[in-house]
Amino acid sequence: MASAHAGLPIDASSTPTLGTSLASPYVQSGRKTSSSFSDLGDYDEFTELNCCMTPEKPNLFNKPHPIHEENERVNEDGTIPVRHYGLHGTGIQLFPGEVLKLRVDHAAYIVYYKPTTEPESPPDAMTQASSSSSDSGTETPMPLFELTPAASNLPPKSFGALGAAGYTVVKGDCFQRSNATRSGSLGRGFVRATTQVGSALFKGTSTLINQTYEGTANGGVIGFAMGLGRGVWGFGSHTVKGAFRGVGHMTNAVGEVVLGMDPHFSLDGTLVLTNYRIVWTSAGSTGDTFDIPLESLVSIDNTSVTAPHVLHLECKHLLRPQFAFVDEETCVSFIEATMRLYSQGPYSFSTVHFNAIQTGTAIDPTDAEETSIPALYSSQEDYERLGLSDRERWTLVNNETYALFPTYPKSFIVPAGFTDQDIVELSAYRSASRVPAVVWLHPQTKASICRCAQPCAGLSGYAAEADKKIVALLRTGENFHFFDARSHIAAAGNFAQGKGTEDVRNYPNTELHHCDITNIHGVRSSYKALATVCQPNASDNIDLLLQRTMWLSHLSSILVAAQKMSELMCKGESVMVHCSDGWDRTSQLAGLVEVLLDPYYRTIEGFLRLIDKEWCSFGHMFRWRLGIGHGPNTEESGEQSPVFVQWLDCIWQVWRQVPWAFEFTDQLLVTIYNHVYSGLFGTFQYNCEKEQRDREALDPTRSLWKYLLQRQEAYRQSVYQEKESLAMVGQLLEIRVSESDLRLWNAHIACADPICRKYA
């Protein structure tokens, strides 16, 4: 869906800051900067929800009413019109294949903000939220916020801009709404609490009877016992919740004193669930909206006792939204409806979307002609451009069957003089059969960079003869350089498993460099910590928090190693890079070196080809690293890690310092970042080229590369100095790579703070 923020400026120098500007060596342009986070698609591929619906009732789910097949008419060209699903008053549009599941009116988006040191006046009685009880009788709940020409009692700093946008901010506690009544009368509050407890008692009794009866009917004595247990639990649960709700969704232990709470306000809106995403749209005329692709969800739940009407979402990226519903039942129903999409196992919208396009719902005919993800990277074209097609120096390995090298592309380059027997021996020596493959050749010095996995050296430090041979054939200049992305300690830890790193005593005229780049677990931990820094209520001490995440430090380690490798190649000395299995940090370093030395990879098409080459064809475990198809609330795999996002951040750090050397704006990077987690395309759903080929043959998906290339004019920037950049082939871009020279990418802020950043 097209974002409401698509028109925000891209140039960091003209981007408004979010919050009060602070002198910071880490955060660009002050505390935070806003960035236009990419659309999830384009308007010409949507179906607008503009048909009739049944009369709407506040705070209830409204299921869509599709036009039935028998009522559909055929267009003049023989195609079937796209089905329309009415969603009155939101302006939300659907992608091909997207189906509306549920809708909730008056779903308040809870926004946290950083408090000021000055005392704040209590919220106005007319704007404070009232009870959220599900048993409120005929009483209409107070709105969570109101649109007024002028707002008062606004939150501090950047979030005060919401008042200028037409919001009256409600600063009451969304989590204790049962205490707030229109009259403020303790008597009414007491009556309401009594009603809630009585209703909960009734529900609990009903649950006890029903569960016991069902258990008896289904399973005899054992079933009776199980049903009784569930019934008693339901009885107690409903009763306890009813009592707690009567005192404001919060209970205190004996001696417990509330010292403070996280300040927040809430914005009223509509929450919609489809088979692809969750969409929140603000009420009123502001038009604020943001999407949460289901593919991005890690967890969806509520706090069953303290705030059962509040929906908590955690995403694989930095978004951590919360929504307050009118009652607990609505919240639970929304969670259950979301989880039902995963009831049959792993679920992905990308195949549904592609199939819908194939059946005639795509306006763009080029999309309808697509049968599978086309390979943007052509190894033959790349080798010819790089000078790797010279058969006297280089040998092309045919891997079309993927039998010997299952995670490598269908063809790759090794130095000439290597025999089939050497190849077989080498495949057994390098972890996961990921042998040294040449991916780039310096046009002047003829030094090469090859990528591979760690050697199976073991405690004895064994080196296969084929490995010694390939290093000797690849060596140029005085020395050959091994770059192990791991630390020395981390590499040594693999020796006991029969793996490890190279012993330079086995390879004459070589040097070993340990890059000390953190592994996938460190990246995952750092990224989660970054989520806290990027939230609207981040502390004033943003520099310290950012340093503690180690995010910029990790970026610096990658950039330092890539710069060192590039410098050696410019001097005529070849390098080999690997980590453990050669599909995480190896892709990062190889891809970054090629961006620093080859201006073709800094063009729009060249950059996309580079990603397709180093990440998709040579294998990065996208399905594992992104948890593709796994529903929320499942055990998070230890294999998940935003390694590719970290690399995009490294590219942005380079782009920020020398934007004139890039054909594209940083919006291209932001768009790719967005679609890593969007689940709309199949480009980032596979672990290797073979897996992509096999799965696409059965369930084809759309290509992100084709989508971006069709719209490349939107990403072209005016400051690009094409002639100067292309003349620098083989020359290292001059950039600063220490941690103090790096900045927090504003795309992270945009991801974590989708609403307030607009009014910064």
Side-chain angles (χ1 to χ4, degrees):
M1 192 184 86
S3 171
H5 319 306
L8 285 182
I10 298 171
D11 183 9
S13 62
S14 62
T15 304
T17 57
L18 184 64
T20 303
S21 178
L22 301 177
S24 168
Y26 297 101
V27 184
Q28 184 184 15
S29 301
R31 176 176 173 265
K32 296 179 180 178
T33 59
S34 173
S35 174
S36 168
F37 207 49
S38 169
D39 301 339
L40 285 178
D42 55 337
Y43 280 110
D44 63 358
E45 291 174 350
F46 292 167
T47 303
E48 187 165 4
L49 303 176
N50 55 9
C51 284
C52 298
M53 288 191 65
T54 54
E56 298 178 12
K57 297 179 180 180
N59 314 317
L60 295 178
F61 293 119
N62 294 312
K63 294 189 176 182
H65 294 266
I67 301 174
H68 298 288
E69 292 184 7
E70 59 268 23
N71 296 330
E72 289 179 344
R73 53 184 175 81
V74 179
N75 293 332
E76 294 180 358
D77 59 0
T79 60
I80 299 176
V82 181
R83 295 184 183 182
H84 294 261
Y85 295 85
L87 193 55
H88 177 69
T90 65
I92 295 177
Q93 300 170 309
L94 296 183
F95 291 93
E98 189 174 12
V99 178
L100 178 64
K101 295 293 186 180
L102 293 174
R103 165 182 175 162
V104 184
D105 292 322
H106 301 298
Y109 173 50
I110 302 173
V111 182
Y112 293 91
Y113 62 89
K114 183 170 55 179
T116 59
T117 55
E118 300 175 0
E120 300 180 10
S121 58
D124 183 76
M126 292 303 294
T127 59
Q128 186 173 0
S130 72
S131 171
S132 64
S133 169
S134 60
D135 307 295
S136 57
T138 59
E139 185 177 35
T140 303
M142 290 286 289
L144 291 176
F145 84 104
E146 297 176 356
L147 288 174
T148 59
S152 59
N153 193 29
L154 296 172
K157 298 185 178 179
S158 65
F159 302 102
L162 282 169
Y167 286 117
T168 294
V169 178
V170 175
K171 295 169 63 179
D173 183 6
C174 292
F175 298 100
Q176 300 189 39
R177 289 163 55 191
S178 290
N179 281 339
T181 62
R182 292 194 173 194
S183 63
S185 166
L186 176 63
R188 292 192 62 180
F190 178 75
V191 172
R192 180 180 298 277
T194 304
T195 303
Q196 290 167 352
V197 174
S199 176
L201 182 64
F202 175 78
K203 291 181 180 178
T205 305
S206 176
T207 300
L208 176 62
I209 295 173
N210 291 339
Q211 293 284 359
T212 306
Y213 173 78
E214 291 178 5
T216 304
N218 295 333
V221 176
I222 296 178
F224 170 77
M226 295 176 63
L228 178 62
R230 289 194 298 265
V232 170
W233 169 254
F235 176 80
S237 175
H238 278 291
T239 307
V240 171
K241 289 180 182 178
F244 284 177
R245 293 177 66 84
V247 295
H249 303 316
M250 183 173 179
T251 57
N252 293 344
V254 176
E256 182 182 9
V257 178
V258 177
L259 299 178
M261 69 181 198
D262 212 356
H264 62 272
F265 57 86
S266 56
L267 308 176
D268 191 25
T270 298
L271 199 64
V272 170
L273 172 67
T274 77
N275 60 333
Y276 165 53
R277 56 187 165 158
I278 297 171
V279 187
W280 182 83
T281 304
S282 68
S285 59
T286 58
D288 292 326
T289 183
F290 64 91
D291 293 358
I292 307 170
L294 297 177
E295 190 69 68
S296 71
L297 284 181
V298 171
S299 66
I300 175 171
D301 56 30
N302 66 339
T303 304
S304 58
V305 174
T306 57
H309 67 298
V310 176
L311 178 69
H312 302 262
L313 300 175
E314 180 181 352
C315 300
K316 295 172 184 175
H317 45 39
L318 306 178
L319 186 60
R320 306 287 186 268
Q322 297 188 47
F323 302 94
F325 296 132
V326 172
D327 51 49
E328 176 185 355
E329 287 75 11
T330 305
C331 186
V332 172
S333 296
F334 196 93
I335 295 173
E336 292 176 348
T338 303
M339 297 303 297
R340 276 197 297 271
L341 292 170
Y342 296 89
S343 60
Q344 303 301 320
Y347 171 76
S348 177
F349 177 72
S350 59
T351 55
V352 177
H353 177 55
F354 183 84
N355 291 336
I357 291 177
Q358 289 286 289
T359 57
T361 60
I363 296 177
D364 189 340
T366 59
D367 288 335
E369 296 170 359
E370 204 170 292
T371 57
S372 184
I373 291 182
L376 180 61
Y377 166 64
S378 169
S379 58
Q380 189 61 39
E381 292 180 8
D382 199 44
Y383 298 151
E384 290 179 359
R385 188 186 68 84
L386 294 173
L388 291 170
S389 57
D390 183 358
R391 294 187 178 182
E392 294 184 359
R393 290 198 60 196
W394 309 105
T395 296
L396 182 68
V397 178
N398 187 340
N399 188 40
E400 289 186 356
T401 64
Y402 302 100
L404 198 57
F405 311 101
T407 63
Y408 261 24
K410 61 183 179 181
S411 64
F412 58 91
I413 293 290
V414 295
F418 229 58
T419 66
D420 291 345
Q421 183 178 355
D422 293 333
I423 286 289
V424 173
E425 181 184 356
L426 197 58
S427 68
Y429 180 68
R430 289 284 170 173
S431 178
S433 297
R434 296 178 64 84
V435 301
V438 178
V439 293
W440 194 78
L441 185 68
H442 197 287
Q444 287 90 37
T445 67
K446 303 306 177 183
S448 64
I449 175 175
C450 66
R451 54 176 296 170
C452 58
Q454 64 181 328
C456 296
L459 294 174
S460 65
Y462 163 73
E465 291 301 319
D467 205 59
K468 298 177 183 178
K469 180 178 180 179
I470 197 170
V471 169
L473 291 172
L474 288 171
R475 185 170 67 86
T476 56
E478 295 183 4
N479 289 295
F480 183 85
H481 298 266
F482 298 106
F483 276 81
D484 190 330
R486 304 164 295 183
S487 66
H488 177 77
I489 296 177
N494 283 271
F495 281 113
Q497 303 175 22
K499 300 178 182 179
T501 194
E502 293 82 6
D503 186 340
V504 294
R505 292 174 295 182
N506 295 322
Y507 306 88
N509 302 314
T510 61
E511 294 182 19
L512 174 63
H513 309 267
H514 286 285
C515 305
D516 198 15
I517 300 173
T518 190
N519 60 19
I520 61 171
H521 310 293
V523 177
R524 180 175 64 246
S525 176
S526 180
Y527 193 61
K528 286 185 176 181
L530 187 65
T532 302
V533 176
C534 294
Q535 298 306 312
N537 60 333
S539 168
D540 270 325
N541 200 351
I542 188 73
D543 290 351
L544 179 59
L545 288 178
L546 187 57
Q547 285 181 327
R548 286 176 176 174
T549 69
M550 301 292 290
W551 184 257
L552 296 184
S553 176
H554 296 328
L555 296 183
S556 178
S557 298
I558 299 170
L559 289 163
V560 167
Q563 188 180 66
K564 178 64 175 178
M565 293 165 63
S566 301
E567 290 172 348
L568 289 172
M569 294 183 69
C570 290
K571 294 177 180 178
E573 299 189 348
S574 296
V575 301
M576 176 187 293
V577 58
H578 68 77
C579 46
S580 295
D581 291 315
W583 50 49
D584 290 308
R585 291 165 283 190
T586 303
S587 295
Q588 289 180 329
L589 290 174
L592 195 52
V593 166
E594 291 169 76
V595 168
L596 292 175
L597 292 175
D598 194 335
Y600 172 71
Y601 293 128
R602 300 195 292 267
T603 65
I604 295 175
E605 182 173 339
F607 182 67
L608 300 183
R609 287 181 184 272
L610 176 67
I611 298 176
D612 202 31
K613 166 187 171 182
E614 296 295 349
W615 293 89
C616 300
S617 291
F618 271 94
H620 171 63
M621 302 294 157
F622 281 112
R623 182 163 56 86
W624 296 355
R625 298 295 179 257
L626 303 180
I628 300 299
H630 295 172
N633 302 344
T634 58
E635 183 177 356
E636 188 175 0
S637 169
E639 295 293 330
Q640 292 186 28
S641 183
V643 173
F644 180 63
V645 169
Q646 185 187 41
W647 181 76
L648 289 177
D649 199 335
C650 287
I651 298 296
W652 181 81
Q653 300 293 340
V654 177
W655 179 94
R656 184 184 65 84
Q657 297 186 46
V658 285
W660 60 267
F662 289 82
E663 183 186 20
F664 51 86
T665 66
D666 64 339
Q667 189 63 26
L668 179 65
L669 300 175
V670 172
T671 303
I672 296 172
Y673 180 5
N674 191 14
H675 287 299
V676 168
Y677 298 105
S678 75
L680 193 63
F681 302 92
T683 305
F684 300 133
Q685 291 188 352
Y686 309 108
N687 285 343
C688 59
E689 186 179 281
K690 179 183 183 298
E691 183 178 304
Q692 175 181 301
R693 183 200 65 176
D694 294 345
R695 290 177 179 258
E696 284 291 314
L698 299 174
D699 297 307
T701 61
R702 286 185 70 191
S703 168
L704 176 60
W705 310 141
K706 184 174 182 179
Y707 171 86
L708 294 174
L709 288 174
Q710 288 174 344
R711 297 152 182 84
Q712 59 181 301
E713 290 301 321
Y715 304 112
R716 207 179 304 276
Q717 69 170 341
S718 59
V719 301
Y720 176 50
Q721 299 179 23
E722 181 178 9
K723 184 178 297 185
E724 290 80 357
S725 178
L726 294 178
M728 290 186 63
V729 60
Q731 298 181 42
L732 177 61
L733 285 178
E734 294 184 5
I735 58 170
R736 300 177 301 278
V737 296
S738 65
E739 181 181 354
S740 61
D741 293 316
L742 307 182
R743 298 291 180 267
L744 178 61
W745 188 11
N746 45 20
H748 296 315
I749 302 294
C751 186
D753 183 17
I755 294 298
C756 290
R757 65 183 177 84
K758 181 180 178 182
Y759 301 104

